[in-house]
Amino acid sequence: MVAAVALVVLLGVAALVVWGTSPEVATVSTPDTTPLAAPTPAGDVPAGFVEAWRAPSSATGAPVVAGPAVVTGDGGLVAGHDATTGAVAWSYRRDLTLCTVAAGFPGTDDGDGHALALYAGRTGWCSELTALHPSSGTRANTSNPDMRHGVQLLSDGSYVTATGADYLEVWRSDLVRTLEYGDVPTPVQPGKQPRPECTYGSTAVASNRIGVVERCPDAPTDRLTVLTPDGSKGADTPEVQFSVELPAAGAVLVALSADRAAVAVPGPPRLIVYDKAGLQLSQTPLDVPAAALSTAPDGAPASVTTDGSRFYWWASGTTVALDVGTLAPAWSLRDTLGPPTTYGTGLLAPVRSGLVDLDPARGTALRTLPVPRPDPAAAVSIAAAGEVLLEQRGPEVVALLPAR
């Protein structure tokens, strides 16, 4: 009996230790019992905007809109806001630091997709991933990736790619890993990665394609590699669509489509377009500052948005529009603070004096809408949630409503 009692006590202590150190104990989830409603759709560009609300969001580099929610991340807190009022509809908090927050998998959860929260684990890696339903904040799936700090999450509609300076991962909507590429942290079988010694420049995604600029030891120029996100040989065996040497180092992968890739290279700045087999189709001079090809963070995507007709690349103060079909440059506009976004029937870009309403076909300014900011020269990323225009200003998201 003494032995049995001792065993029961030991099992109880062990259970308490496991429970006390589990992620669930350090997690506070406050879902919304009344799902968020979608914001009022935007119409024509208004005569002006007024500030409606703001919230800290140091874990995002651009405003995150997931379904009906504007999602912010700061410290260990992820919050889903009503786009119009800024009221916190739901929240999810852990005693870990957020690495990044993003939206992904738009075809899931009745079209709302998921809000993705990636936390730094106890070992320091960004290894605690949670998918949340954006209308309510309830948890969907969890997983444990192996990403380093500085990671960004890129969605192509079906998959999400986690970027890195020498390693990337791809997940499907249930957060199962479908691809790992580069310097794999814990390889099951060595020798399956083609160039694990290389580091990465910019990364881009398109439907069923992932592109990355590789910088390999002793190679005089960069390399462009395009991968399949979910190959037939397993996640640890990359399926390479093509890999070609570029004519210069310091390249930026600007845009990727179903059958083309556009890469900007220096000396002098020019845009080279490749077909889906890696054959060069065109080369066009670029009117961009030289700094645009030397300041991108390793492994991160270029600052690019799209409206379905064009890609808009923000290159150190100059916005370059590319035709979405040919990827050829259509126009460029200097003195912008970030890439444009579609707002209702218009196209808006941030500038020092506020927001400029652009003609999408020619890139000419139709009018300027004043928006005061504490630092008029600082970079700004913008996005729209219905009629609400969102600005990421440093570690803060600011929501603007049409002036009535």
Side-chain angles (χ1 to χ4, degrees):
M1 288 183 63
V2 172
V5 170
L7 180 60
V8 169
V9 170
L10 286 173
L11 289 173
V13 170
L16 285 173
V17 169
V18 170
W19 178 81
T21 57
S22 70
E24 300 299 327
V25 171
T27 301
V28 179
S29 178
T30 310
D32 190 1
T33 56
T34 304
L36 270 172
T40 302
D44 294 335
V45 175
F49 286 98
V50 294
E51 183 175 325
W53 56 271
R54 59 178 59 201
S57 190
S58 59
T60 59
V64 175
V65 180
V70 176
V71 184
T72 60
D74 195 68
L77 175 67
V78 181
H81 300 260
D82 180 289
T84 304
T85 66
V88 175
W90 55 261
S91 64
Y92 181 82
R93 183 189 293 273
R94 298 192 63 177
D95 68 340
L96 301 171
T97 301
L98 280 163
C99 293
T100 190
V101 174
F105 314 115
T108 60
D109 199 13
D110 295 327
D112 286 344
H114 290 153
L116 303 173
L118 180 58
Y119 288 87
R122 306 296 181 189
T123 61
W125 290 70
C126 297
S127 59
E128 302 282 339
L129 177 65
T130 301
L132 303 166
H133 296 288
S135 61
S136 63
T138 56
R139 279 178 289 187
N141 297 296
T142 62
S143 70
N144 298 103
D146 292 309
M147 304 310 302
R148 294 171 176 82
H149 286 271
V151 57
Q152 295 190 42
L153 306 183
L154 311 181
S155 174
D156 66 7
S158 300
Y159 301 92
V160 166
T161 299
T163 70
D166 57 6
Y167 172 72
L168 61 82
E169 282 191 15
V170 182
W171 314 311
R172 66 190 190 203
S173 60
D174 57 2
L175 302 189
V176 170
R177 183 191 296 124
T178 62
L179 171 68
E180 52 186 5
Y181 186 74
D183 186 13
V184 179
T186 53
V188 177
Q189 297 183 48
K192 291 201 170 187
Q193 297 295 321
R195 286 172 295 276
E197 74 282 1
C198 300
T199 59
Y200 300 152
S202 50
T203 306
V205 298
S207 178
N208 205 39
R209 306 184 85 198
I210 299 165
V212 60
V213 171
E214 297 189 74
R215 296 165 179 161
C216 302
D218 302 324
T221 66
D222 293 343
R223 170 182 291 272
L224 172 64
T225 299
V226 176
L227 307 157
T228 298
D230 191 358
S232 58
K233 298 180 180 179
D236 63 344
T237 306
E239 185 175 312
V240 179
Q241 296 183 12
F242 73 82
S243 185
V244 295
E245 292 183 2
L246 298 172
V252 174
L253 177 56
V254 176
L256 192 67
S257 67
D259 57 1
R260 300 190 180 205
V263 182
V265 298
R270 57 206 189 274
L271 189 78
I272 303 176
V273 177
Y274 296 90
D275 69 9
K276 69 183 305 179
L279 299 176
Q280 182 176 320
L281 295 175
S282 64
Q283 182 169 283
T284 310
L286 279 174
D287 182 20
V288 299
L293 303 178
S294 62
T295 58
D298 291 341
S303 184
V304 176
T305 57
T306 183
D307 60 5
S309 297
R310 290 172 182 80
F311 290 103
Y312 301 103
W313 172 40
W314 184 67
S316 295
T318 297
T319 294
V320 179
L322 311 179
D323 180 88
V324 77
T326 64
L327 301 190
W331 50 260
S332 63
L333 179 67
R334 290 186 175 273
D335 300 324
T336 55
L337 302 179
T341 195
T342 301
Y343 181 90
T345 59
L347 182 71
L348 297 177
V351 294
R352 285 174 177 259
S353 54
L355 295 161
V356 62
D357 183 8
L358 296 174
D359 177 350
R362 295 185 295 272
T364 54
L366 304 175
R367 55 181 169 148
T368 300
L369 288 65
V371 175
R373 302 186 186 101
D375 184 353
V380 179
S381 295
I382 63 176
E387 67 171 355
V388 183
L389 187 77
L390 302 160
E391 294 193 345
Q392 178 93 37
R393 304 177 188 171
E396 192 172 46
V397 168
V398 179
L400 307 173
L401 279 172
R404 307 298 185 189

